[in-house]
Amino acid sequence: MAKPFQGIAASPGIAIAKAYRLKHSHYVPAPGKANDSAEEKKRFTQAVEQSKQEIEQIRELTEQRMGAAKAEIFEAHLLLLEDPDFIDAIIERIENEGDNAEFSLYEVANQFVEMLRSMDNEMLRERAADVLDISRRIMSHLRGEEYAAVSAISEPCILIAEDLTPSDTAQLNLDYVLGFVTEIGSRTSHSAIMARSLEVPAIVGAGTAAGDIQTGTMIIMDAVTGTVLPSPSDQELEEYRAKKADYDQRRLELRALLDQPTVTKDGHHVELAANIGSVEDLQKVLSNGAEGVGLFRTEFLYMGRSSLPSEEEQFQVYKHVLERMNNKPVVIRTLDIGGDKELPYMKLPVETNPFLGLRAVRLCLSKQELFRTQLRALLRASSCGQLKIMFPMIAVKEELLEAKKLLAEEKEKLQQEGIPVSDSLEVGIMIEIPAAALAADILAKEVDFFSIGTNDLIQYTMAADRMNENVSYLYQPCHPSILRLVRMVIQAAEKEGKWVGMCGEMAGDETAIPLLLGLGLHEFSMSASSILPARALMKDLSREEWAGYAEEAIQMGSERQIQQFVHDKIGRV
Amino acid sequence: MVSQTYTVLNPSGFHARPTKVFVQTASTFPCKVNVSKNGKKVNGKSSLSMLTLGIEANDEVLLETDGDQEEQALEALGQLLSKIFEE
C-alpha cells in the first residue's frame, strides 16, 4: 500500500479508478543552424498554420461542451499564434541568427515563459502555461509528432499529469476520464477552472507524489478533501465506494434545486440571496442559484488603493452588478469603513475603541462629500436593475433621517440634471447595534426594509470582540438574547408592512436557519456556496411548525440547549 | 502622436480576457499602439507583451497611439482600459 498524499481540491467529487499517466513531450532542441533560412521560415509558418487549424477545432469543441466563455481560452491561444512580438521574434531569429526553427521557437518561447513565471501575480504565472501549450504544439508539428494524445484514452481512468494544458482539458473524454490529479497548479489554473465547469473531480498541486504514480495503479481520489490514496486496501475501497455513492446522490439532489424557488414544506416562499465583496463573486452567485444579492460590501472599491474612487468609477461597478443580476434584487451597502477596516489614505485619527468609534455611517455623515459621491453613483445606477440601498451601523433615528436627507438631495440634483433615477428604489438599514434592534418599531416607520447583521449584533450584544480568542465562546448566534432581538426586529417590521433579511454568518448556519424561518425572516443572505444546501434544508421545514419551536427555543436557558433542541427536531423531520 | 493616462478599473486587473479584447481592437487600427506602466513601454497589439506589464486594478497606464486613425484608436482603446469585464 502506497502512502496517501494531499493536493488542492480544485473541483469537488470522489473518483475510484486506475491511473493513466499523461506524458508531455519535454523535447529540448539542441542549438542548430539552418542551411536554408527561407526554408526554415516556411517550415515554421506552416507549423503555426497547422496549430491554428487544430486550435480552431478545439475551440469549437469547447464551445459546444463548456460554452462560449470557456472557449475564450482558445481565442487567446489563437491570438498568441498571431502575436507580433512572439511570432515575429521567432522569424527574426531564424533570419538574423540563422538558427533552425525548433531552436528559435524554444528560445523565444522560453524567454516569455520565464518572464511570466517571474511575475508576482498568480493569474499571470498561469498564463505561462498557455505559452508552453502553444509552443509545444508548434514544436510537435515541426517534428511531425502528435501532440499529447488525451483523445487516445479509451477506458475508465484517473488522469495523472504534471499539469494539464487547456487543450488537454478541453479534449478530455468524460466517458472515460473520471477525474484528474496534477503535480503543479492552483485553484485558478485553467485546468482547475475548466474541471469545475465540466464538474469532473480534480486535485491539483499534489507535488511529486503524484508524479510517482504509474499507469495502471489503482487510486482513490477524494477531491472534497484533496486526498489521493494510491493502491488502496479492500477496506478503503469499500469505504470510499460508499462515500462516493452518498456524495453523488447528495450532489444530484442539490443540482436539481438550482433554478427552483425556495419553498418550505408548508408552501411558504423565502428568498435566498448571496453576499458579495466584489464583481468577481457574481459568477458564483449565479451558478449557485441565488435569488438576489442580499449584501454587496462596497469596501473593496475603496481599499487597496491610494485615493478615493470617483463617482464614475463607482457607477460603473454598481451598474455592472445590477445588469449582471438581471433585475433580481441587489442590496448595496454604503461604505462600511472603520473598526478593523482601515483606509490609510484617508488618514483617520487613531481611536482607542475603533469598533465603538467613527465608523460606517457615522464616518460617512461626518465626511459628507465622500458619502454624497457614493450616493450619486448609486442613484445613477438605480435605473439599471432592482437596487436597494442600505445604511450600515445605524444606532439612532437621527442618523437615518440625515442619511435619507442627503440621498433625497442628491436624487433631486440628478433629476434636475435630467439623469434618470429609479422610482422603485428601496432604502433600508442594517440592524447590528442592540439600540437599533430595541427601537426597531420606531425605525421601521422610516425604512423599506431591515437587514440584520449578526456578526456585529452578536459582538455588541455580548460586549465581546469576536476576534479575541479569550472571549470567542461568547459568539453565540443561537443564544436566547440574540434570538429575542431578531424576533423583536421582525415583529416590528411586520407591523409596518416592511421586510426583514439577514446578511450575517448566522443566515447560512444550518442550525440557525430553522429558528429564523420560524421567527418569520423573509430573506436569508449568505455565501454563495451555502445556498443550495440551505434551499434543500428549507424544503424539509414547515414554517408554521417552526414558529412554534422557535417560541419554545427562545424560552430555553442556553445556546447549547437550543442547538440540541433544533438538532433533535430536524432529526425527526 | 496622441496620448492619455487611464486608471484601470477592472477588479482583476488586465489579464487574459481584457487583454484579448484590447489587443484585438488595437489590431484593427493601422496606427502604432503603445501602452506603458511605470516607465515600461510595450506594443499594444501583442497580447504577450501586454500581459508582461502585469496591469492590476487601479493601476495608471499611459496609452499612446501614433499614425493613421490615432485619435479614434485612443478613444476606443481608452474606453477598454477603464471598462469592467466579466470573469
Side-chain angles (χ1 to χ4, degrees):
Chain A
M1 215 186 326
K3 267 172 86 175
F5 57 91
Q6 200 68 24
I8 301 160
S11 173
I14 295 171
I16 304 167
K18 284 183 176 166
Y20 178 95
R21 262 209 81 77
L22 182 72
K23 284 208 177 76
H24 279 291
S25 159
H26 289 280
Y27 173 70
V28 178
K33 297 288 172 194
N35 298 326
D36 181 352
S37 288
E39 180 60 27
E40 285 303 287
K41 219 175 99 177
K42 202 172 132 202
R43 280 181 62 227
F44 176 70
T45 42
Q46 272 174 357
V48 170
E49 279 311 311
Q50 278 174 299
S51 303
K52 264 187 208 167
Q53 284 166 16
E54 275 176 5
I55 292 173
E56 185 53 48
Q57 285 169 5
I58 298 174
R59 196 197 65 78
E60 274 170 33
L61 182 73
T62 309
E63 187 164 343
Q64 285 162 19
R65 290 173 58 188
M66 289 182 256
K70 296 294 180 298
E72 284 205 341
I73 291 170
F74 299 102
E75 286 180 32
H77 279 195
L78 289 170
L79 211 59
L80 281 179
L81 288 169
E82 285 170 359
D83 194 305
D85 286 5
F86 180 49
I87 299 298
D88 293 355
I90 297 166
I91 291 174
E92 274 169 31
R93 195 172 172 113
I94 294 172
E95 284 176 343
N96 301 342
E97 310 280 328
D99 288 329
N100 65 26
E102 284 88 346
F103 190 65
S104 304
L105 166 66
Y106 180 79
E107 287 286 299
V108 173
N110 255 4
Q111 282 166 16
F112 279 107
V113 168
E114 288 310 315
M115 201 185 306
L116 288 168
R117 280 191 179 156
S118 67
M119 313 282 296
D120 60 4
N121 175 300
E122 188 177 45
M123 280 171 82
L124 286 176
R125 285 198 300 272
E126 299 289 352
R127 299 289 80 75
D130 294 342
V131 180
L132 267 182
D133 193 356
I134 284 294
S135 54
R136 285 180 185 163
R137 184 178 295 279
I138 304 173
M139 187 71 84
S140 68
H141 285 302
L142 281 173
R143 289 164 49 79
E145 292 170 344
E146 197 184 342
Y147 181 58
V150 191
S151 49
I153 295 171
S154 59
E155 53 183 75
C157 69
I158 290 171
L159 208 58
I160 312 282
E162 183 186 2
D163 189 15
L164 285 181
T165 64
S167 55
D168 292 334
T169 323
Q171 292 175 91
L172 293 181
N173 183 340
L174 296 180
D175 290 339
Y176 300 122
V177 178
L178 307 182
F180 64 79
V181 179
T182 66
E183 290 173 52
I184 58 176
S186 66
R187 269 191 70 81
T188 59
S189 311
H190 274 324
S191 48
I193 293 168
M194 291 177 105
R196 286 196 286 276
S197 70
L198 286 168
E199 296 187 8
V200 61
I203 294 175
V204 300
T208 48
D212 293 339
I213 295 177
Q214 295 308 314
T215 296
T217 310
M218 191 68 185
I219 53 174
I220 293 172
M221 60 177 287
D222 179 347
V224 179
T225 61
T227 311
V228 182
L229 288 95
S231 312
S233 65
D234 287 349
Q235 195 193 333
E236 283 171 331
L237 275 174
E238 200 180 317
E239 184 191 323
Y240 271 92
R241 279 187 184 126
K243 243 188 193 178
K244 178 175 161 54
D246 283 351
Y247 180 87
D248 292 347
Q249 178 60 29
R250 172 85 179 144
R251 191 168 165 121
L252 218 61
E253 285 167 12
L254 289 181
R255 300 304 297 174
L257 297 175
L258 200 57
D259 300 315
Q260 304 282 319
T262 311
V263 183
T264 63
K265 204 167 70 177
D266 55 341
H268 188 81
H269 180 250
V270 290
E271 196 179 297
L272 288 194
N275 298 339
I276 65 171
S278 79
V279 295
E280 289 178 306
D281 299 335
L282 284 171
Q283 185 55 42
K284 267 191 95 177
V285 172
L286 295 168
S287 65
N288 280 286
E291 290 154 79
V293 168
L295 169 66
F296 176 22
R297 304 182 174 94
T298 54
E299 289 78 76
F300 98 94
L301 278 163
Y302 293 77
M303 297 169 90
R305 52 187 293 151
S306 55
S307 61
L308 287 168
S310 67
E311 178 188 319
E312 181 64 21
E313 226 174 286
Q314 295 192 51
F315 165 69
Q316 291 294 343
V317 173
Y318 304 148
K319 172 169 171 274
H320 177 84
V321 172
L322 286 162
E323 285 176 349
R324 188 78 203 279
M325 289 306 293
N326 200 12
N327 226 28
K328 287 180 180 161
V330 175
V331 179
I332 302 187
R333 178 174 75 185
T334 59
L335 181 62
D336 183 4
I337 213 80
D340 54 344
K341 291 172 279 190
E342 290 176 37
L343 289 184
Y345 60 84
M346 283 191 66
K347 301 194 174 63
L348 297 169
V350 177
E351 299 180 318
T352 320
N353 279 312
F355 278 103
L356 306 179
L358 186 67
R359 55 174 292 205
V361 84
R362 303 171 181 179
L363 178 73
C364 287
L365 291 176
S366 79
K367 300 206 177 289
Q368 293 203 356
E369 273 320 297
L370 169 152
F371 196 34
R372 284 179 190 272
T373 303
Q374 182 171 38
L375 295 177
R376 273 179 69 91
L378 285 165
L379 287 164
R380 281 172 60 197
S382 66
S383 52
C384 306
Q386 212 190 124
L387 173 65
K388 301 171 196 302
I389 296 179
M390 175 159 78
F391 303 122
M393 287 281 294
I394 295 286
V396 296
K397 191 171 82 173
E398 288 78 3
E399 289 170 332
L400 170 59
L401 295 181
E402 177 71 9
K404 279 175 67 179
K405 191 186 98 190
L406 297 180
L407 184 70
E409 285 173 9
E410 292 309 319
K411 182 175 174 179
E412 203 186 317
K413 281 189 220 162
L414 284 171
Q415 283 169 335
Q416 276 170 7
E417 292 167 39
I419 297 170
V421 176
S422 166
D423 295 330
S424 54
L425 172 72
E426 290 188 16
V427 178
I429 61 172
M430 280 187 79
I431 301 282
E432 48 190 339
I433 296 179
L438 292 165
D441 57 331
I442 299 166
L443 295 169
K445 296 188 195 330
E446 304 294 336
V447 298
D448 297 310
F449 67 93
F450 289 141
S451 184
I452 305 172
T454 56
N455 301 348
D456 273 342
L457 185 63
I458 296 167
Q459 162 164 283
Y460 293 132
T461 303
M462 298 290 184
D465 178 355
R466 63 176 181 270
M467 304 302 192
N468 183 340
E469 282 175 31
N470 299 315
V471 293
S472 61
Y473 72 94
L474 288 169
Y475 183 84
Q476 296 188 10
C478 293
H479 188 276
S481 303
I482 305 299
L483 294 174
R484 286 171 193 205
L485 286 176
V486 169
R487 178 176 64 173
M488 190 177 266
V489 172
I490 295 172
Q491 285 176 348
E494 272 177 351
K495 211 169 265 175
E496 297 295 329
K498 311 295 167 67
W499 63 271
V500 181
M502 179 178 285
C503 57
E505 298 286 328
M506 188 177 175
D509 178 325
E510 297 207 0
T511 306
I513 285 175
L515 295 169
L516 296 171
L517 183 74
L519 292 175
L521 192 73
H522 307 99
E523 179 236 40
F524 295 67
S525 190
M526 56 194 72
S527 65
S529 56
S530 302
I531 288 190
L532 291 178
R535 188 171 292 157
L537 175 62
M538 297 273 192
K539 262 184 56 174
D540 292 334
L541 301 173
S542 150
R543 187 167 105 135
E544 204 180 320
E545 203 170 41
W546 276 94
Y549 293 154
E551 282 310 315
E552 244 182 276
I554 245 171
Q555 304 308 325
M556 294 180 175
S558 72
E559 183 187 52
R560 207 189 187 97
Q561 269 176 295
I562 294 176
Q563 284 174 332
Q564 189 56 50
F565 174 75
V566 172
H567 292 157
D568 290 349
K569 292 294 177 199
I570 292 180
R572 225 177 285 164
V573 168
Chain B
M1 190 189 76
V2 289
S3 68
Q4 197 175 325
T5 303
Y6 297 87
T7 304
V8 172
L9 298 184
N10 199 43
S12 58
F14 227 63
H15 304 147
R17 190 173 131 74
T19 302
K20 192 200 84 181
V21 177
F22 184 92
V23 169
Q24 278 176 343
T25 311
S27 304
T28 62
F29 290 101
C31 58
K32 274 191 187 160
V33 176
N34 286 316
V35 180
S36 30
K37 184 189 129 181
N38 297 337
K40 182 182 172 187
K41 188 195 276 190
V42 303
N43 178 0
K45 294 182 182 181
S46 161
S47 57
L48 261 179
S49 301
M50 283 288 288
L51 280 177
T52 61
L53 279 186
I55 301 172
E56 303 287 341
N58 304 316
D59 274 353
E60 292 210 333
V61 294
L62 176 70
L63 174 65
E64 291 174 353
T65 53
D66 188 9
D68 284 354
Q69 298 182 28
E70 58 185 26
E71 295 282 353
Q72 293 98 310
L74 191 77
E75 163 89 28
L77 296 170
Q79 273 180 16
L80 289 179
L81 285 174
S82 38
K83 180 182 157 172
I84 290 166
F85 292 83
E86 299 276 321
E87 187 194 6

